[in-house]
Amino acid sequence: LPGCAMDLAYVCEWEKRPKSNHCPSIPLVCAWSCRNLIAFTTDLKNEEEKDLTHMVHIIDTEHPWDVYSVNSGHAEIITCLEWDQSGSRLLSSDADGHIKCWSMADHLANSWETTLGSMVEGDPIVALSWLHNGVKLALHVEKSGASNFGEKFSRVKFSPSLTLFGGKPMEGWIAVTISGLVTVSLLKPNGQMLTSTESLCRLRCRVALADVAFTGGGNIVVATSDGSSSSPVQFYKVCVSVVNEKCKIDTEILPSLFMRCTTDPARKDKYPAITHLKFLARDMSEQVLLCASNQNNSIVECWSLRKEGLPVNNIFQQISPVVGDKQPMILKWRILSATNDLDRVSAVALPKLPISLTNTDLKVANDTKFFPGLGLALAFHDGSVHIVHRLSLQMMAVFYGSSSQRSVDEQTIKRQRTAGPLVHFKAMQLSWTSLALAGIDSHGKLSMLRISPSMGHVLDMNMSLRHLLFLLEYCMVTGYDWWDILLHVQPNMVQNLVEKLHEEYMRQNAALQQVLSTRIVAMKASLCKLSSSTIARVCDYHAKLFLIAISCTLKSLLRPHFLNTPDKSPGDRLTEICSKITDVDIDKVMINLKTEEFVLEMTTLQSLQQLIQWVGDFVLYLLASLPNQGSPVRPGQSFLRDGASLGMFRELMVVIRIWGLLKPSCLPVYTATSDTQDSMSLLFRLLTKLWLCCREENHMTEPDDALIDECCLLPSQLLIPNIDWLPIHDGIITKLQNKQLVRLQFGKAPGLVGHTVSSQFDAFLRAPGQPKIDHLRRLHLGAYPTEECKSCTRCGCVTMLKSPNKVTAVKQWEQRWIKNCLCGGLWRRMPLSYS
């Protein structure tokens, strides 16, 4: 096997607790959402209470120490955790038949509440799943060089488990209980819930293990086992429908199978128990993974459901010639692959990346050494983890845990035996791109492992970049969080990745470009954080996201004067006129606009003053930094050659100028050295000259000396404002690049030391005692804020939780980032003492 395919990125553990708090017999569960939130359970008793409190812990992978632990209210142990497809709601079920649905309170990733739930009284839940929403993509590795995202990631025809009127998928969940019942809960759009419970088959028998999968036709398949390898693994088809406002469940038996190790004479009674039963993916009901174990060993088998012809006896062929022509077909389970005898398996993690498994795709993946989505992870009782191929079960990579380092010394082996059970993973999950693996071990410690996309094969730089680029594009198209890809980006890759990502983006059609326009900026920002040479551009990309949002909001406030308006909205007409009329005099541009479209209420204009001030300050800052554009360290540098952004600033200056005629107090405030100077028209003139230099990407010209001289004079005419840039780092990702293991503790923010670059950058950021600012409302919060704030888990942007405003226009601005930050990151509540 090639070297270092897997390594530990970080571990996060609980404060030291006495051994008596520990219940080793309890199974743990964990789940990983597409927003890179991980939910998991622990087996710790509380000091005061003698019985267990069943906690659910939720972390964001970038701030693992900031754990949100909630007393789940489950009376028995938690048996399943399942995230929905959007990654923002969580189902939990327990051994008493209760199911709860958790969602974020106030859209905060560290504040959760449960409002919905269902139950099958006293009947432990063994399998749980959200219903399928009919969205299924396939990643085609052979098309990874194609220009069109639609070819690389194609939509697969797949029906939702249940549809509402008009084909909209219905939300809900399905669960299987230990006594052989299947229960389905449907959430109606009006908030009503329909629940129904039915037995899987007439002869109900004990279900020790079960799993749920979906078929393309909208049916549900349930696999069950009673835990003994001498019994068959049963499969059932479940159809859910709504009849007369009631939920109806129909079940039907499908072909079953016996594990091969039970029929193999050499191993006949060797593995008495089936310990793991999983469909290979939620939407692959025709492939199943089984693991049978004894006290010390396990064996894993992979089976697939095939259509086969049924040979017909000659007697029948003479009677009915029709039968002879067409052989009858039946469905039959056939074994695909099996492992040899392994150490005892303690947990299994399956890939979530929907990689296409056609022969050509598999061949290209093998030739280019692109393995994400092709491996599944097995954890063993000796603390090691193997990654094996999902079809052949052949070993692809191995990780030896702390306790499983092969020791040659006989003494240590003996000592280990007596020291009690080894530390091993009791629950494990792969990330959505399969580039990271989270494990919860028998001490409740969370380990984050990096998995190389090439499984440790050494590739040339170009190929490594192509692999990461392919997965970044996948996240861009699906909207999933890409934190786990950043784990693999080295500082020397950043520049190339950003350029290639931009090239690929420019090859898409205009409509798709518009949909992805902000996501690609956020993606570039997160990449630029990872290298000291590109760190200043992080600020620029975040400022660009802010500019796009302000521009959209302010333009959407303009109202057409007549209701039967022509085809263009005032905002579009503004853009058109500003780009057509290249005059440097702001009043000459303004004359061409219909001023009545710009009339707004006075209170509205006043409430926008902080946003208007930012636009004014930023333009002044940019022009003042034009003369020293030789130093790329300063933030704001990339705007000076970005025609589109300068054009946006120019449009906004015109809008602000018109609004200033209506209500002068909404204008940006400048501190000028002379009273008579018209600061806005001066800045507009310089901005227009700079914009003319780079408005066309193909004909970029350098700004002439006269313009640079005028910009040199700006600091003597106006006070250059201090721009509040976003904090550069408060997360873990930049600390993981040198491949050193980072040790963390839950509930305790580490004293994070950034990479060397932070020192030169601190000049732009505020020192601890200085006043804080609400980055999105542009309000000053004082040095020790009294208002509760929230910060973005990805870009660190800070804003107040409660809105101080009542004005509709400002509400409209706040709606833009109420659920997610402008960069797409989730919000988390900050402690009041964050200053």
Side-chain angles (χ1 to χ4, degrees):
L1 284 174
C4 70
M6 301 167 75
D7 66 301
L8 264 175
Y10 63 73
V11 294
C12 200
E13 44 199 327
W14 300 97
E15 279 179 78
K16 291 279 170 281
R17 301 196 180 189
K19 276 277 181 283
S20 60
N21 290 5
H22 189 58
C23 305
S25 59
I26 286 192
L28 300 182
V29 277
C30 73
W32 192 322
S33 92
C34 61
R35 310 289 302 266
N36 282 325
L37 295 173
I38 295 177
F40 61 100
T41 59
T42 47
D43 53 3
L44 294 166
K45 277 192 266 199
N46 276 7
E47 317 277 287
E48 309 81 51
E49 305 160 29
K50 283 288 162 274
D51 53 342
L52 281 155
T53 320
H54 301 287
M55 306 290 279
V56 174
H57 309 281
I58 297 175
I59 60 154
D60 152 49
T61 52
E62 173 74 331
H63 305 92
W65 57 87
D66 184 23
V67 61
Y68 181 73
S69 303
V70 55
N71 181 348
S72 65
H74 284 297
E76 292 293 329
I77 60 169
I78 297 170
T79 54
C80 309
L81 288 173
E82 282 289 324
W83 289 101
D84 71 344
Q85 279 98 342
S86 71
S88 46
R89 283 182 309 176
L90 178 72
L91 286 179
S92 64
S93 68
D94 66 17
D96 195 27
H98 288 252
I99 299 171
K100 296 188 175 198
C101 174
W102 300 85
S103 53
M104 285 187 245
D106 300 328
H107 308 291
L108 294 170
N110 55 359
S111 181
W112 293 78
E113 58 189 6
T114 173
T115 45
L116 293 165
S118 63
M119 63 179 211
V120 187
E121 193 63 63
D123 202 351
I125 307 281
V126 288
L128 177 66
S129 169
W130 289 90
L131 295 179
H132 203 288
N133 63 359
V135 177
K136 185 183 177 186
L137 285 180
L139 264 85
H140 300 282
V141 184
E142 62 158 334
K143 300 261 175 61
S144 68
S147 60
N148 183 349
F149 285 168
E151 284 177 44
K152 296 183 197 183
F153 319 110
S154 63
R155 247 326 258 274
V156 179
K157 201 168 156 35
F158 207 88
S159 302
S161 313
L162 199 62
T163 51
L164 293 156
F165 179 72
K168 191 171 183 281
M170 192 155 186
E171 294 190 313
W173 57 80
I174 175 170
V176 181
T177 73
I178 207 161
S179 71
L181 294 177
V182 57
T183 175
V184 174
S185 296
L186 304 175
L187 309 177
K188 292 182 65 178
N190 61 8
Q192 203 185 341
M193 201 163 90
L194 307 176
T195 299
S196 171
T197 306
E198 197 60 62
S199 85
L200 273 171
C201 63
R202 290 215 188 101
L203 293 168
R204 265 168 73 184
C205 51
R206 173 185 148 85
V207 175
L209 302 167
D211 199 20
V212 180
F214 302 93
T215 67
N219 291 323
I220 303 167
V221 180
V222 174
T224 67
S225 154
D226 65 1
S228 157
S229 61
S230 52
S231 312
V233 177
Q234 304 275 10
F235 293 87
Y236 304 93
K237 183 165 95 177
V238 177
C239 302
V240 181
S241 51
V242 175
V243 183
N244 300 337
E245 291 296 301
K246 284 205 169 58
C247 173
K248 180 170 180 287
I249 303 174
D250 293 299
T251 60
E252 160 186 340
I253 297 183
L254 294 174
S256 55
L257 65 89
F258 281 95
M259 283 191 70
R260 192 176 72 181
C261 60
T262 57
T263 53
D264 171 7
R267 297 198 175 98
K268 192 155 193 243
D269 299 317
K270 189 170 176 190
Y271 298 108
I274 295 185
T275 50
H276 295 90
L277 158 65
K278 299 258 184 211
F279 286 106
L280 250 93
R282 279 269 180 257
D283 42 26
M284 280 187 71
S285 57
E286 61 286 338
Q287 216 178 348
V288 69
L289 185 83
L290 298 162
C291 168
S293 311
N294 57 25
Q295 287 287 285
N296 306 315
N297 299 94
S298 291
I299 190 164
V300 176
E301 298 178 1
C302 185
W303 289 71
S304 96
L305 190 63
R306 307 259 172 90
K307 267 195 172 142
E308 293 184 4
L310 195 64
V312 178
N313 194 304
N314 287 339
I315 302 174
F316 296 106
Q317 294 195 347
Q318 290 151 12
I319 304 169
S320 157
V322 185
V323 178
D325 297 346
K326 204 168 72 207
Q327 217 179 3
M329 302 297 274
I330 58 160
L331 286 171
K332 201 160 189 183
W333 285 99
R334 289 274 177 212
I335 189 160
L336 268 184
S337 51
T339 61
N340 295 326
D341 300 344
L342 307 164
D343 199 78
R344 182 157 170 205
V345 172
S346 63
V348 179
L350 298 173
K352 302 181 182 71
L353 194 71
I355 200 148
S356 160
L357 296 173
T358 61
N359 291 340
T360 42
D361 280 314
L362 287 171
K363 185 179 181 314
V364 173
N366 202 31
D367 294 348
T368 57
K369 302 283 178 270
F370 179 84
F371 297 121
L374 288 176
L376 56 97
L378 303 172
F380 296 98
H381 274 263
D382 67 355
S384 65
V385 177
H386 291 183
I387 292 193
V388 297
H389 196 287
R390 61 190 284 176
L391 298 173
S392 65
L393 295 182
Q394 278 168 344
M395 181 105 96
M396 296 165 80
V398 61
F399 168 80
Y400 298 111
S402 49
S403 52
S404 66
Q405 295 298 22
R406 304 279 165 87
S407 48
V408 192
D409 180 8
E410 282 297 307
Q411 279 316 111
T412 49
I413 293 184
K414 281 184 184 150
R415 221 174 297 137
Q416 268 190 349
R417 289 260 168 85
T418 52
L422 298 168
V423 178
H424 59 267
F425 289 141
K426 291 173 78 170
M428 235 181 10
Q429 282 265 313
L430 282 162
S431 75
W432 283 66
T433 59
S434 289
L435 292 186
L437 176 75
I440 313 291
D441 68 22
S442 39
H443 290 168
K445 184 170 72 184
L446 176 103
S447 302
M448 178 66 66
L449 283 88
R450 233 185 262 172
I451 304 175
S452 126
S454 63
M455 290 296 167
H457 289 276
V458 180
L459 300 177
D460 62 346
M461 190 57 154
N462 214 356
M463 200 45 121
S464 311
L465 286 174
R466 253 185 64 182
H467 288 175
L468 295 177
L469 189 67
F470 188 48
L471 292 169
L472 281 169
E473 289 166 1
Y474 169 68
C475 289
M476 188 152 65
V477 170
T478 52
Y480 295 161
D481 187 71
W482 56 93
W483 178 88
D484 37 333
I485 305 174
L486 300 180
L487 280 177
H488 297 268
V489 177
Q490 289 304 314
N492 58 347
M493 301 178 171
V494 170
Q495 190 70 38
N496 276 338
L497 266 178
V498 172
E499 282 166 17
K500 288 200 158 84
L501 195 64
H502 185 74
E503 273 168 36
E504 290 296 325
Y505 168 78
M506 295 310 288
R507 289 162 76 179
Q508 308 312 311
N509 62 36
L512 186 59
Q513 280 193 27
Q514 194 173 354
V515 171
L516 303 176
S517 59
T518 52
R519 207 171 285 157
I520 185 170
V521 178
M523 215 169 237
K524 289 177 183 172
S526 62
L527 286 165
C528 286
K529 256 185 201 181
L530 301 176
S531 158
S532 53
S533 56
T534 52
I535 194 112
R537 280 162 54 193
V538 180
C539 295
D540 295 13
Y541 287 128
H542 287 147
K544 184 161 182 176
L545 284 171
F546 194 66
L547 168 65
I548 293 170
I550 283 191
S551 166
C552 290
T553 305
L554 296 189
K555 277 156 90 178
S556 69
L557 294 173
L558 308 180
R559 291 281 169 264
H561 185 49
F562 301 108
L563 283 176
N564 53 349
T565 50
D567 46 358
K568 282 202 170 66
S569 70
D572 295 342
R573 202 159 44 250
L574 168 76
T575 305
E576 190 182 37
I577 287 171
C578 284
S579 63
K580 206 159 58 188
I581 298 174
T582 57
D583 209 301
V584 293
D585 184 350
I586 191 164
D587 296 325
K588 287 192 179 151
V589 179
M590 200 169 78
I591 280 169
N592 292 283
L593 291 163
K594 298 183 179 157
T595 22
E596 57 268 22
E597 292 181 345
F598 291 78
V599 177
L600 292 181
E601 287 176 22
M602 294 300 156
T603 47
T604 305
L605 288 178
Q606 190 57 53
S607 68
L608 296 170
Q609 203 277 328
Q610 279 85 10
L611 301 183
I612 290 171
Q613 182 70 43
W614 179 83
V615 174
D617 282 353
F618 205 85
V619 170
L620 172 55
Y621 171 83
L622 284 184
L623 292 168
S625 63
L626 178 66
N628 53 8
Q629 65 185 31
S631 67
V633 182
R634 289 175 67 104
Q637 212 53 53
S638 63
F639 277 98
L640 300 174
R641 312 300 299 140
D642 177 356
S645 298
L646 295 175
M648 274 187 191
F649 276 122
R650 197 169 164 265
E651 288 165 26
L652 291 178
M653 293 286 276
V654 175
V655 175
I656 293 167
R657 179 72 164 197
I658 298 177
W659 283 347
L661 298 176
L662 297 171
K663 185 164 181 68
S665 65
C666 80
L667 285 172
V669 179
Y670 293 112
T671 311
T673 43
S674 87
D675 296 341
T676 52
Q677 165 181 302
D678 182 352
S679 307
M680 281 218 45
S681 56
L682 167 70
L683 292 176
F684 185 83
R685 191 177 83 237
L686 300 178
L687 177 64
T688 303
K689 285 183 177 172
L690 179 59
W691 168 69
L692 288 172
C693 289
C694 55
R695 61 187 286 216
E696 289 172 28
E697 273 191 32
N698 330 351
H699 311 292
M700 291 272 199
T701 54
E702 284 303 311
D704 56 356
D705 291 349
L707 173 61
I708 291 181
D709 290 347
E710 283 202 76
C711 288
C712 280
L713 289 174
L714 272 177
S716 61
Q717 295 165 309
L718 293 163
L719 181 69
I720 307 301
N722 192 358
I723 299 287
D724 284 283
W725 303 101
L726 287 189
I728 288 299
H729 44 242
D730 61 342
I732 190 86
I733 197 83
T734 47
K735 325 298 174 289
L736 301 174
Q737 285 183 307
N738 54 6
K739 302 270 176 155
Q740 293 291 311
L741 170 63
V742 178
R743 293 188 176 281
L744 304 164
Q745 215 178 19
F746 286 120
K748 212 171 180 182
L752 289 175
V753 186
H755 38 50
T756 46
V757 73
S758 51
S759 50
Q760 51 173 353
F761 220 81
D762 288 340
F764 304 115
L765 300 179
R766 300 200 160 201
Q770 279 192 310
K772 299 284 185 292
I773 186 164
D774 178 325
H775 291 115
L776 295 179
R777 295 190 181 89
R778 310 310 299 179
L779 296 171
H780 292 274
L781 303 176
Y784 300 99
T786 50
E787 282 293 314
E788 257 202 306
C789 290
K790 56 186 183 180
S791 84
C792 168
T793 53
R794 294 292 171 261
C795 68
C797 166
V798 174
T799 184
M800 283 184 287
L801 255 180
K802 297 197 172 56
S803 167
N805 296 303
K806 297 281 180 287
V807 187
T808 342
V810 182
K811 286 266 166 64
Q812 193 180 333
W813 166 240
E814 291 173 354
Q815 281 302 317
R816 279 189 177 274
W817 35 265
I818 188 121
K819 281 190 178 169
N820 307 318
C821 175
L822 295 174
C823 74
L826 290 165
W827 293 113
R828 60 190 187 122
R829 182 191 299 262
M830 296 182 80
L832 250 181
S833 60
Y834 90 94
S835 48

